[in-house]
Amino acid sequence: MTLTADTLRTRLADVVDPTLEKDIVSLGLINDIAIDDDTVRISLAFNSPYAPTEMTIGNRIREVISDLDEDLEIDLRAHAGEAQGFDEEILPRVKNVIAVTSGKGGVGKTTVAANLAAGLEKMGARVGILDSDIHGPNVPRILPIEDEPGVTPNDELVPPRSDGVRVMSMGFLTRNQDDPAILRGPMVNNIMTQFLQEVEWGLLDYLIVDLPPGTGDASLNLLQMMPVTGAVIVTTPQQMAVDDTKKGLRMFQEHDTPILGIVENMSTFQCPSCDDEHDLFGRDGGSSISDEYDVELLAKLPLHPDFGADDAEIPLVKDEESPVQPAIQELVETVADRIGTVNRKRVGEATGVETAESVPLEADQ
């Protein structure tokens, strides 16, 4: 019997999204099916390259097709646009904007943001990072760059690269690394507008935005100017950091921005000599936020000398010899998966399907 698109679509209704707990057909994740001679071409409404669950769903689709006809070639493509609920006007060549923020400074937010960018690039994604921490632009310290930004004929800035990651930072605009950025609200807003609208990012799967700590103008401006796919909020176990983190979380909540989850940084001190762990800043601060606001605790990262190594030539997520690398790699994969969940839920909502209530993407009021 010759396989038809209708028959295959029916069979694909048996493939269930393991996170949203609905089948991929009713969720609207199948854009189109075409069968041409010995090749099956399927367009999927996926918008999160290298998200582990989406790769699992892709493999399940391949299994279904192979069970029907093992001689068929399989060509899976991904496309998600306005019809699937995605904004195509603002930064149309950027698929996902991930905000990394914290309630207060000194919690390792930039370390998390830079390693998230490098980790996604390591997985194969096209990644850029915007260092919008105007007063403390430290991304170039973690993602070292030798080149200066370029300029297009249209006077757009072209970000230099750090081992594949495109980087734009306020640090490029100061003469000396230690010069202070003395800027007031309107000037900060203007710089943020330039970074977002006058930079030639190219095609990106993920744009990581390292926001200044707190709930100031730069953060509010970002939320008002562009569709943020989701926010990663970094804290330490200290009560002061936890209290400030809650304020930042509520700001994203008020702007209907999905909360991808909490990263508890400096969770314990991991001794490099004996590998014992010690609580230096209290414990379970991230867990308390997770429980109170019903958001996911993405990771608990240790305090370890590798995080502050001045002679590091690569970010920790790419240092296979570091004992903390696996924890960071797991965080990157978890964030990619959460982005996939946000996007597939958006497609389902555009299709009119209610998804699993057990998958919170926004903090409870």
Side-chain angles (χ1 to χ4, degrees):
M1 181 181 70
T2 302
L3 181 64
T4 66
D6 288 341
T7 300
L8 180 54
R9 187 179 293 271
T10 300
R11 292 296 297 271
L12 289 177
D14 293 332
V15 178
V16 175
D17 184 313
T19 307
L20 300 180
E21 301 178 4
K22 297 286 185 179
D23 72 87
I24 62 174
V25 175
S26 64
L27 280 171
L29 297 176
I30 304 292
N31 292 326
D32 183 61
I33 299 175
I35 302 176
D36 182 19
D37 295 329
D38 60 350
T39 302
V40 176
R41 294 181 175 86
I42 299 179
S43 172
L44 300 168
F46 287 175
N47 200 50
S48 317
Y50 301 97
T53 295
E54 295 190 357
M55 296 175 72
T56 298
I57 294 173
N59 291 334
R60 179 73 183 104
I61 292 172
R62 294 178 185 276
E63 290 174 2
V64 169
I65 298 172
S66 296
D67 287 344
L68 292 170
D69 189 338
E70 62 182 12
D71 294 326
L72 287 172
E73 295 290 331
I74 303 170
D75 183 6
L76 301 183
R77 304 290 178 92
H79 173 74
E82 187 174 353
Q84 290 79 26
F86 294 90
D87 189 301
E88 293 188 298
E89 294 184 6
I90 304 174
L91 291 179
R93 304 178 74 194
V94 177
K95 291 185 178 181
N96 299 285
V97 177
I98 305 174
V100 180
T101 184
S102 64
K104 65 184 296 294
V107 299
K109 166 183 57 64
T110 296
T111 298
V112 170
N115 277 280
L116 178 58
L120 289 168
E121 191 278 333
K122 177 185 174 185
M123 293 168 68
R126 296 167 297 189
V127 184
I129 183 167
L130 171 56
D131 184 4
S132 65
D133 192 341
I134 305 298
H135 302 287
N138 291 317
V139 167
R141 295 177 183 268
I142 304 174
L143 301 177
I145 297 165
E146 296 181 359
D147 298 330
E148 297 290 329
V151 181
T152 70
N154 296 325
D155 293 328
E156 294 178 315
L157 291 172
V158 178
R161 301 196 184 208
S162 176
D163 194 24
V165 177
R166 303 169 200 187
V167 182
M168 183 54 63
S169 171
M170 180 66 186
F172 299 148
L173 307 182
T174 54
R175 292 185 178 181
N176 300 306
Q177 194 176 53
D178 295 329
D179 285 348
I182 305 174
L183 301 170
R184 298 190 182 276
M187 299 172 68
V188 170
N189 288 343
N190 185 52
I191 289 176
M192 282 292 293
T193 300
Q194 288 181 301
F195 278 161
L196 294 173
Q197 298 181 352
E198 299 178 21
V199 174
E200 176 48 64
W201 290 103
L203 291 170
L204 292 182
D205 298 316
Y206 301 95
L207 174 61
I208 312 301
V209 182
D210 179 23
L211 287 171
T215 56
D217 290 338
S219 299
L220 291 172
N221 205 35
L222 173 73
L223 294 175
Q224 293 166 356
M225 287 179 60
M226 64 165 41
V228 177
T229 310
V232 173
I233 303 179
V234 183
T235 186
T236 63
Q238 289 175 303
Q239 191 59 49
M240 183 183 298
V242 169
D243 291 342
D244 288 342
T245 296
K246 293 177 181 179
K247 297 175 185 177
L249 189 150
R250 287 194 290 267
M251 178 189 71
F252 283 98
Q253 176 188 86
E254 290 172 1
H255 286 79
D256 297 322
T257 300
I259 308 298
L260 301 177
I262 306 294
V263 175
E264 184 183 282
N265 197 25
M266 308 181 198
S267 180
T268 59
F269 170 64
Q270 186 172 331
C271 176
S273 300
C274 64
D275 284 336
D276 284 349
E277 295 188 355
H278 307 273
D279 298 321
L280 298 183
F281 303 119
R283 62 184 302 156
D284 296 330
S287 298
S288 67
I289 299 172
S290 174
D291 293 339
E292 181 177 349
Y293 287 88
D294 195 22
V295 296
E296 185 171 343
L297 180 62
L298 299 172
K300 299 179 74 170
L301 300 178
L303 181 66
H304 191 276
D306 283 0
F307 281 109
D310 293 332
D311 58 348
E313 297 180 356
I314 56 175
L316 277 180
V317 73
K318 294 186 177 182
D319 184 359
E320 303 291 345
E321 296 183 1
S322 171
V324 296
Q325 189 274 342
I328 303 174
Q329 181 63 45
E330 184 177 355
L331 168 63
V332 172
E333 293 175 4
T334 300
V335 170
D337 224 21
R338 292 292 288 174
I339 289 291
T341 300
V342 169
N343 287 333
R344 296 194 309 281
K345 185 175 182 182
R346 179 175 297 168
V347 173
E349 290 173 346
T351 310
V353 176
E354 293 186 5
T355 54
E357 294 297 328
S358 60
V359 187
L361 297 173
E362 297 176 3
D364 285 348
Q365 297 285 348

